């Protein structure tokens, strides 16, 4: 299979991308004019660029890009702010931190190609992309967050992996590990698949592994180079790479494992939902979406099992396990999008039923518009 998209489909992808951006930015402009944003009466340029750029996590990435790291910003990985900083030498700063607008287009094209490997019919692919952009947390993909970059790099990495071009796949995995901690999952899958292939399905491990030991080591180093270099940077500049884990705890994330931890995790999630319902708290929006996305993720995992390439399935599984291993569903409604392959596959079955398809799009997109409203009224929605 090659990297092929006909011109007509490229035009359709561009139209879907452009319409999506016009709709959500037009909606935000209306909210702003009606006084439903934190600070109202921005110019059109400020609505489309500055508002998205500085909101929530965006301000942290901008601070890292312009001023460097300080505690507890070490929890944020360096590749994305580095890209902003480099682009700032060439383009106006507002364009630099809105690079996700273009990355989103590449993401949609990459997802279209990946669907070829999941044996999804061509006629379903554009409808699938439309529904994917309708997800309640999809607006984060064009905001000043790392999610679009993460998905784009992983798409390229998975493409190389599926074509057994391990060196290029390892380079992409190295970059991915410098975007989010869950990026290490791609490196692990690459090493497993490479070892499986060179050992003839693990049947000739002693002989073949010895032959390829240096290439396996090189692939491993490349695959984790991003996070290794970042930890080395933290060691040299802050005295210890442990500051990364300390920063994670500061943002409410730490690894859990005991039965007591897991019980506290479940109770700690359910209790605030009950309280939020009773008090009419706006956090109910995020908490309900977090649990819904988790349940839908499990359903899509089960449904796609053995129906898509195992490397893609394992990558999706890792994107679900790693965030909740921190002991919280915090932002899972946004982080679940990183398990995009199983969602694309799940949507392919919904796309067959026109009434259900459009009903879900309306419900999901209305929920996204509500999320944008809350996002710009200082409510944490992901």
């Amino acid at each position: 299979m090659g990297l092929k998209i006909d011109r007509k489909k490229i035009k359709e992808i561009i139209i879907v991308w452009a319409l999506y951006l016009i709709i959500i930015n037009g909606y935000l402009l209306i909210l702003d004019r009606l006084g439903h944003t934190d600070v109202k009466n921005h110019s059109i340029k400020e609505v489309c660029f500055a508002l998205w750029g500085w909101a929530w996590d965006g301000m942290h990435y901008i601070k890292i890009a312009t001023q460097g790291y300080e505690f507890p910003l070490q929890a944020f990985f360096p590749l994305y702010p580095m890209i902003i900083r480099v682009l700032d030498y060439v383009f106006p700063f507002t364009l630099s931190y809105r690079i996700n607008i273009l990355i989103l287009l590449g993401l949609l094209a990459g997802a279209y190609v990946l669907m070829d490997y999941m044996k999804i019919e061509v006629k379903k692919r554009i409808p699938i992309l439309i529904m994917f952009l309708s997800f309640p947390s999809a607006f984060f993909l064009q905001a000043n967050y790392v999610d679009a970059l993460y998905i784009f790099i992983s798409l390229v990495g998975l493409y190389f992996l599926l074509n057994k071009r391990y060196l290029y796949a390892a380079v992409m995995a190295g970059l991915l590990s410098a975007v989010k901690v869950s990026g290490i999952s791609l490196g692990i899958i690459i090493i497993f698949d490479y070892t499986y292939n060179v050992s003839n399905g693990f049947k000739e491990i002693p002989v073949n592994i010895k032959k390829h030991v240096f290439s396996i080591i090189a692939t491993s180093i490349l695959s984790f180079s991003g996070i290794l270099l970042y930890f080395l940077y933290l060691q040299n500049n802050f005295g210890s790479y442990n500051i990364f884990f300390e920063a994670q705890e500061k943002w409410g994330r730490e690894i859990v494992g005991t039965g007591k931890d897991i019980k506290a995790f479940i109770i700690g999630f359910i209790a605030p939902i009950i309280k939020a319902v009773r008090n009419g708290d706006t956090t109910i929006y995020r908490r309900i979406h977090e649990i819904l996305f988790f349940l839908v993720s499990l359903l899509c995992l089960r449904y796609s099992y053995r129906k898509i390439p195992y490397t893609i399935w394992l990558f999706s599984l890792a994107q679900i396990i790693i965030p909740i291993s921190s002991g919280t569903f915090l932002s899972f409604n946004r982080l679940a999008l990183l398990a995009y392959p199983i969602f694309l596959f799940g949507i392919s079955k919904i796309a067959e039923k026109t009434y259900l398809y459009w009903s879900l799009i309306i419900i999901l997109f209305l929920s996204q518009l509500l999320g944008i409203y809350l996002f710009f009224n200082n409510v944490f929605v992901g």
Side-chain angles (χ1 to χ4, degrees):
M1 294 181 185
L3 187 60
K4 293 180 181 178
I5 312 178
D6 64 58
R7 289 185 179 182
K8 183 181 177 183
K9 294 302 178 184
I10 291 173
K11 288 179 182 178
E12 290 177 4
I13 291 170
I14 292 173
I15 290 169
V16 169
W17 166 77
L19 282 176
Y20 175 71
L21 291 174
I22 290 168
I23 291 170
I24 63 169
N25 282 285
Y27 169 70
L28 181 55
L29 184 63
I30 292 170
L31 288 180
D32 187 72
R33 292 296 181 266
L34 294 176
H36 293 303
T37 55
D38 241 6
V39 181
K40 43 189 175 288
N41 294 322
H42 294 89
S43 68
I44 293 176
K45 180 181 176 182
E46 288 173 332
V47 168
C48 296
F49 290 90
L51 280 187
W52 288 110
W54 288 87
W56 291 94
D57 282 8
M59 70 177 74
H60 302 311
Y61 288 113
I62 289 175
K63 188 170 184 179
I64 294 168
T66 56
Q67 300 175 32
Y69 279 100
E70 63 179 46
F71 191 79
L73 296 182
Q74 290 86 352
F76 295 87
F77 278 72
L79 184 60
Y80 183 60
M82 281 175 63
I83 290 172
I84 294 174
R85 186 161 189 165
V86 170
L87 289 174
D88 185 39
Y89 290 115
V90 183
F91 302 104
F93 190 57
T94 49
L95 291 179
S96 301
Y97 62 68
R98 292 295 281 130
I99 188 62
N100 277 337
I101 292 174
L102 291 178
I103 293 176
L104 177 60
L105 178 58
L107 181 162
L108 294 175
Y112 184 95
V113 172
L114 188 71
M115 284 187 260
D116 199 30
Y117 293 87
M118 294 192 284
K119 295 181 171 59
I120 295 174
E121 296 172 62
V122 172
K123 66 180 181 181
K124 292 181 181 178
R125 295 180 194 177
I126 297 299
I128 288 170
L129 295 179
I130 292 171
M131 179 170 275
F132 186 71
L133 286 176
S134 300
F135 277 26
S137 51
F139 67 89
F140 284 104
L141 297 176
Q142 58 82 57
N144 196 14
Y145 278 64
V146 299
D147 306 292
L149 179 65
Y150 184 92
I151 292 176
F152 178 72
I153 293 175
S154 67
L155 277 164
V156 179
L158 287 170
Y159 171 79
F160 286 132
L161 176 58
L162 290 165
N163 285 282
K164 308 302 179 187
R165 300 173 73 175
Y166 294 107
L167 178 62
Y168 296 125
V171 171
M172 291 300 109
L175 291 173
L176 198 65
S177 71
V179 179
K180 293 179 79 72
V181 70
S182 50
I184 62 173
S185 60
L186 182 58
I188 294 169
I189 294 166
I190 289 168
I191 295 163
F192 177 85
D193 192 63
Y194 181 56
T195 307
Y196 180 85
N197 276 281
V198 299
S199 64
N200 191 22
F202 298 128
K203 294 173 184 174
E204 302 170 11
I205 289 181
V207 177
N208 285 6
I209 294 297
K210 193 177 289 186
K211 280 183 188 177
H212 296 88
V213 64
F214 290 112
S215 57
I216 291 172
I217 292 171
T219 301
S220 302
I221 293 171
L222 269 177
S223 295
F224 305 118
S225 57
I227 193 168
L228 290 174
L229 288 171
Y230 181 48
F231 278 12
L232 184 62
Y233 165 82
L234 294 178
Q235 185 72 36
N236 288 337
N237 290 272
F238 298 96
S240 173
Y241 62 83
N242 280 323
I243 197 169
F244 168 78
F245 300 102
E246 294 168 8
Q248 290 286 343
E249 289 181 26
K250 194 74 175 178
W251 293 99
R253 291 188 180 278
E254 54 185 323
I255 303 299
V256 298
T258 66
K260 184 180 178 182
D261 287 331
I262 294 168
K263 183 180 177 181
F265 168 36
I266 295 169
I267 293 173
F269 180 77
I270 294 174
I273 289 182
I274 296 170
K275 184 179 178 182
V277 170
R278 286 175 178 169
N279 299 336
D281 192 342
T282 51
T283 60
I284 191 64
Y285 172 91
R286 172 176 58 84
R287 292 185 179 278
I288 287 177
H289 279 80
E290 285 167 349
I291 192 64
L292 283 176
F293 263 87
F294 178 68
L295 294 174
V296 171
S297 297
L298 295 181
L299 284 173
C300 289
L301 268 176
R302 177 66 188 89
Y303 186 73
S304 60
Y305 182 62
R306 292 191 174 181
K307 294 177 183 176
I308 60 177
Y310 85 94
T311 48
I312 296 177
W313 190 86
L314 286 175
F315 176 79
S316 301
L317 175 64
Q319 308 318 302
I320 295 168
I321 291 175
I322 293 174
I324 63 172
S325 69
S326 63
T328 173
F329 278 118
L330 185 67
S331 301
F332 192 81
N333 56 322
R334 173 172 61 85
L335 298 175
L337 289 179
L338 306 184
Y340 59 90
I342 58 171
F343 290 117
L344 298 177
F345 187 79
I347 295 170
S348 71
K349 303 307 172 185
I350 294 172
E352 296 171 354
K353 302 169 184 177
T354 306
Y355 181 78
L356 177 62
Y357 172 81
W358 285 107
S359 298
L360 281 175
I361 280 186
I362 292 169
I363 294 169
L364 291 170
F365 195 64
L366 286 175
S367 183
Q368 181 177 159
L369 294 180
L370 175 58
I372 292 171
Y373 171 82
L374 295 171
F375 184 75
F376 285 105
N377 277 277
N378 208 30
V379 176
F380 181 66
V381 293

